[in-house]
Amino acid sequence: MSAKPSKSATKAKTAYVCSECGADHNKWQGQCDECGVWNSLSEIVLEAATQSPAARRSGWAGKVEAPKVMALKDVRHSEDARVSTGIGEFDRVLGGGLVEGAVVLVGGDPGIGKSTLLLQAVARMAGDMPSLYVTGEESLAQVAGRAVRLGLPLDGLNALAETGIERILEHAAASKPKLIVADSVQTLWTESLTAAPGSVSQVRESAARLVRYAKETGTAVFLVGHVTKEGGIAGPRVLEHMVDAVLYFEGESGSRFRVLRAFKNRFGAVNELGVFAMGEKGLKEVPNPSAIFLSGGSTAQPGSAVMVTREGTRPLLVEVQALVDSSPLSNPRRVAVGLEQNRLAMLLAVLHRHGGIGVGDQDVFVNVVGGIRLQETAADLPVLLAILSSLRDKPLAEKTVAFGEVGLSGEIRPVPNGEERLKEAATHGFKRAIVPKANAPKAGSYKGLEVIAVERLADALQAAG
Ligand code: TYD
Ligand code: MG
């Protein structure tokens, strides 16, 4: 998509945007300075020169006002006015509901359920705030058919099958919805650019128009974006900088479970997680997600350890699996899925140096069940326990959980929110918890959970049996 552009006839100011990382460049070049990818730059026309007659009529594009300086304390703002989406898990990921005038990008693989989720949400919200569902991918009949099949209330919800941003904004200016869903941002295009719809410059400019409209009018906007094979929102990752929140909707192929994750959120915690199940009647919330991330087997297996992690503000039980096997390679493999590779190397070094257990001639594979990515150090101890269990071919005691950070000198360090984690484990019927001493209650037990406090790696090895 990025052949070297010929000299443009227009006098419009142009920039060259990398389709991989969204970086701007003044002139065309073969390689992006930021991310080093070749042939990823394409020309976009900068906004000041982009006002088409239609855009001018609609009054939203390129409106230049003298900047106003104000004392910040005098600026009027709505105290976090939030509207519930009617879906608790969705609200949670948004940080407690949709903020008025917020622009939220919802990304995900094609077919994962983005349109379903947003249609369900917007149908419920439309009762309280007039809403406009703009569909560029499906016909109005398809959208209506789906809404009826899902049994959704349709009061206050208008739909528009349109992809031209000028006409969408004209409709919006006329009907003044408080919420717009644009499904999908990849189908949007503006008359003011000659680039093909779907190109980086079209998507970027169309999204920018919608964002500006949202900010000027206080209209909330959901942008739907398909992600590419590489995992970014197709084309311009630059969209991520324009919007207030970026949510990713993910799921394993073949699984009916879906996870909505906040990747960026100006109004709430990132890494907040909402869990849904896709069924006959669309997406249903899963209020107790801990259960689905455990592998399900009731008897403990060698190489398996259950931990309590935290995703956003919520504790979550997750299973960590390890496989340690003698390696035919001179350089044995260390593979970590759902976990940082370097962290695994570090843990193996600590295990050798302070636990006297070497796996230098073994391949080590570690996997976090359910496609979860563990980003906190509380995973250290359970990962070590899983490795140890596989090495010894001996399961941990039934109904055991663990969490804790492992330091380089073999000490087991406390992690935040210890009590909350213990509570989650107790709620799900676990019987034993191996945790850092500073996270353990003095009584040695917590709501029926036997708590084994460990201070050093040696204590943990002993607790593992
Ligand atoms: P969709 O919301 O169209 O995905 P996206 O907008 O992300 O591309 O969802 C498509 C899939 O979801 C489709 O394969 C069928 C499935 N689905 C159900 O299983 N149950 C339902 O009630 C609905 C509406 C969709
Ligand atoms: Mg869709």
Side-chain angles (χ1 to χ4, degrees):
M1 74 155 60
S2 55
K4 182 167 177 162
S6 59
K7 275 234 153 40
S8 163
T10 72
K11 284 265 166 41
K13 249 186 109 186
T14 58
Y16 297 87
V17 184
C18 172
S19 59
E20 291 297 320
C21 69
D24 275 331
H25 302 261
N26 290 333
K27 58 179 183 19
W28 189 88
Q29 56 199 55
Q31 185 183 22
C32 173
D33 287 337
E34 284 293 320
C35 66
V37 170
W38 288 90
N39 269 328
S40 62
L41 298 197
S42 56
E43 182 179 21
I44 70 155
V45 182
L46 287 181
E47 198 197 294
T50 60
Q51 269 202 358
S52 69
R56 215 163 294 176
R57 270 201 311 281
S58 70
W60 299 115
K63 201 160 84 180
V64 181
E65 281 176 11
K68 277 184 244 153
V69 175
M70 287 181 77
L72 207 47
K73 66 180 167 57
D74 298 335
V75 178
R76 285 181 28 156
H77 62 104
S78 47
E79 190 83 29
D80 240 15
R82 288 183 189 263
V83 188
S84 168
T85 61
I87 306 175
E89 292 288 294
F90 201 171
D91 286 349
R92 160 200 289 282
V93 179
L94 287 168
L98 180 63
V99 172
E100 274 177 20
V103 181
V104 179
L105 179 62
V106 180
D109 288 331
I112 200 79
K114 301 179 295 297
S115 301
T116 307
L117 177 68
L118 286 169
L119 190 61
Q120 284 181 234
V122 74
R124 287 179 209 172
M125 298 172 85
D128 302 323
M129 56 201 295
S131 304
L132 178 64
Y133 186 98
V134 181
T135 167
E137 299 191 345
E138 294 163 301
S139 68
L140 285 183
Q142 280 172 314
V143 174
R146 177 183 297 195
V148 170
R149 203 164 46 73
L150 295 173
L152 298 174
L154 297 178
D155 293 338
L157 177 57
N158 287 327
L160 173 68
E162 177 60 71
T163 54
I165 192 69
E166 285 80 10
R167 279 168 304 284
I168 292 170
L169 292 180
E170 272 171 31
H171 276 281
S175 64
K176 299 196 171 49
K178 294 299 288 173
L179 170 65
I180 299 176
V181 177
D183 186 2
S184 68
V185 71
Q186 273 94 12
T187 61
L188 300 181
W189 64 286
T190 163
E191 296 169 353
S192 59
L193 299 183
T194 50
S199 62
V200 183
S201 41
Q202 284 286 7
V203 174
R204 173 173 141 142
E205 182 60 20
S206 306
R209 298 269 179 97
L210 261 176
V211 171
R212 208 170 324 119
Y213 175 84
K215 296 303 167 195
E216 286 174 5
T217 60
T219 311
V221 174
F222 280 114
L223 296 172
V224 175
H226 298 297
V227 298
T228 57
K229 286 193 270 331
E230 295 78 37
I233 303 245
R237 277 222 235 128
V238 71
L239 289 187
E240 292 174 356
H241 308 295
M242 286 183 198
V243 299
D244 298 308
V246 180
L247 314 181
Y248 280 102
F249 204 34
E250 307 164 336
E252 305 226 323
S253 56
S255 161
R256 63 191 194 92
F257 292 109
R258 303 279 185 272
V259 172
L260 185 66
R261 185 191 296 276
F263 171 78
K264 154 182 173 175
N265 193 351
R266 286 185 185 145
F267 308 114
V270 288
N271 281 333
E272 194 66 87
L273 201 86
V275 183
F276 301 86
M278 177 66 96
E280 288 274 291
K281 284 274 170 203
L283 291 155
K284 279 219 162 53
E285 302 176 55
V286 179
N288 174 16
S290 273
I292 67 170
F293 292 116
L294 302 178
S295 70
S298 62
T299 51
Q301 300 288 328
S304 158
V306 177
M307 77 166 291
V308 196
T309 184
R310 272 170 61 84
E311 284 281 350
T313 58
R314 145 196 289 190
L316 197 64
L317 289 162
V318 185
E319 182 178 341
V320 179
Q321 294 182 327
L323 178 66
V324 181
D325 194 20
S326 60
S327 177
L329 305 172
S330 56
N331 227 341
R333 306 184 66 183
R334 274 88 182 81
V335 179
V337 181
L339 190 80
E340 214 196 315
Q341 194 87 20
N342 290 337
R343 198 85 199 162
L344 173 60
M346 192 200 90
L347 291 173
L348 292 177
V350 174
L351 185 65
H352 186 220
R353 178 69 203 282
H354 298 285
I357 298 171
V359 289
D361 54 351
Q362 311 271 322
D363 286 330
V364 179
F365 303 90
V366 176
N367 176 42
V368 184
V369 174
I372 293 281
R373 269 203 76 77
L374 297 177
Q375 278 156 343
E376 54 161 15
T377 53
D380 292 352
L381 184 56
V383 167
L384 272 188
L385 293 178
I387 290 170
L388 206 63
S389 160
S390 175
L391 184 69
R392 294 174 173 166
D393 200 24
K394 184 171 169 224
L396 293 173
E398 289 252 351
K399 299 278 172 201
T400 300
V401 294
F403 56 84
E405 179 175 336
V406 175
L408 284 183
S409 53
E411 79 279 21
I412 311 293
R413 310 170 72 96
V415 297
N417 305 91
E419 180 170 347
E420 198 188 339
R421 295 179 204 250
L422 290 173
K423 189 168 162 205
E424 181 76 359
T427 307
H428 286 85
F430 281 82
K431 297 291 173 228
R432 276 170 98 233
I434 304 175
V435 308
K437 182 139 188 267
N439 285 126
K442 289 199 177 58
S445 71
Y446 181 89
K447 299 190 182 201
L449 195 66
E450 180 199 352
V451 180
I452 301 165
V454 290
E455 251 185 315
R456 309 273 321 156
L457 183 63
D459 306 336
L461 300 186
Q462 196 182 2

